[in-house]
Amino acid sequence: MIVACGSAYHAGVTSKYIFEGLARIPVEVDVASEFRYRDPILGDGTLVLIISQSGETADSLAALREAKRKGSKVLGIVNSIAREADNVMYTWAGPEIAVATTKAYSSQLAALYLLAMKFAGVRGKIAPELQREMLSDLRKLPEQVEVLLKQQEKVQKFANRYLAAKD
């Protein structure tokens, strides 16, 4: 079960495909503000992933407490503080400078991708060679992003072309 708010929720929705496709684990994704009100069916064998930029969002904390109350283990995937989760996977994204949450979202996706790869490996659903190749590809991402960022002129031309688009 993945529970999150805002852009972290969208990282969770994206990672559902990774967990189900790679590790063959069924996943539900919930908006944290709705989670506790729908009386979710949880228990001993359920791992609840709480994804949050800070780990201190009121709705996320309420969802975390609800999951623990129902006997589930909770893993927090967060950038900073996480006091109540059973375990924490820090993204170390740092503070967001712009309105868009690109660093947090990207680091959450990378963390979820790594977690799905680990689960797939433990469950024998992925060949070790493929797992190494996927990890190698993930390690190349910072350099690939750097290459894209150096193409500022091309990006600006592209942005200007669609600036006035209505849809």
Side-chain angles (χ1 to χ4, degrees), residues 102-160:
T102 41
K103 285 193 313 180
Y105 179 78
S106 299
S107 64
Q108 290 163 352
L109 278 180
L112 290 159
Y113 189 74
L114 286 167
L115 194 58
M117 285 173 48
K118 179 66 173 177
F119 286 177
V122 167
R123 299 184 79 225
K125 301 293 183 184
I126 186 173
E129 309 80 49
L130 179 57
Q131 194 172 21
R132 280 192 296 276
E133 184 181 319
M134 292 170 76
L135 191 54
S136 174
D137 288 345
L138 195 58
R139 284 187 177 121
K140 293 174 188 172
L141 279 176
E143 150 188 331
Q144 292 170 338
V145 168
E146 193 70 35
V147 168
L148 284 174
L149 291 175
K150 287 180 180 175
Q151 298 181 24
Q152 186 175 352
E153 247 179 68
K154 288 181 183 176
V155 171
Q156 189 64 51
K157 281 182 186 176
F158 184 79
N160 286 341

Side-chain angles (χ1 to χ4, degrees), residues 7-163:
S7 60
Y9 169 80
H10 293 287
V13 169
T14 301
S15 71
K16 171 184 173 72
Y17 292 91
I18 300 166
F19 279 101
E20 291 184 345
L22 192 60
R24 305 305 300 155
I25 296 172
V27 174
E28 277 188 58
V29 184
D30 249 326
V31 176
S33 60
E34 301 300 315
F35 182 75
R36 62 185 160 157
Y37 298 113
R38 71 174 187 86
D39 192 21
I41 301 168
L42 303 170
D44 229 4
T46 306
L47 174 63
V48 178
L49 303 178
I50 304 284
I51 308 169
S52 174
Q53 169 69 1
S54 67
E56 295 295 311
T57 308
D59 288 326
S60 296
L61 281 172
L64 182 150
R65 291 174 184 145
E66 176 73 5
K68 288 182 79 167
R69 187 181 69 74
K70 292 191 170 197
S72 295
K73 288 287 184 194
V74 176
L75 171 63
I77 298 178
V78 299
N79 185 36
S80 58
I81 302 166
R83 297 184 174 119
E84 297 183 45
D86 295 308
N87 294 288
V88 178
M89 184 176 188
Y90 287 104
T91 60
W92 302 114
E96 288 293 344
I97 305 303
V99 175
T101 180
T102 41
K103 285 193 313 180
Y105 179 78
S106 299
S107 64
Q108 290 163 352
L109 278 180
L112 290 159
Y113 189 74
L114 286 167
L115 194 58
M117 285 173 48
K118 179 66 173 177
F119 286 177
V122 167
R123 299 184 79 225
K125 301 293 183 184
I126 186 173
E129 309 80 49
L130 179 57
Q131 194 172 21
R132 280 192 296 276
E133 184 181 319
M134 292 170 76
L135 191 54
S136 174
D137 288 345
L138 195 58
R139 284 187 177 121
K140 293 174 188 172
L141 279 176
E143 150 188 331
Q144 292 170 338
V145 168
E146 193 70 35
V147 168
L148 284 174
L149 291 175
K150 287 180 180 175
Q151 298 181 24
Q152 186 175 352
E153 247 179 68
K154 288 181 183 176
V155 171
Q156 189 64 51
K157 281 182 186 176
F158 184 79
N160 286 341
R161 184 182 327 158
Y162 295 101
L163 180 66

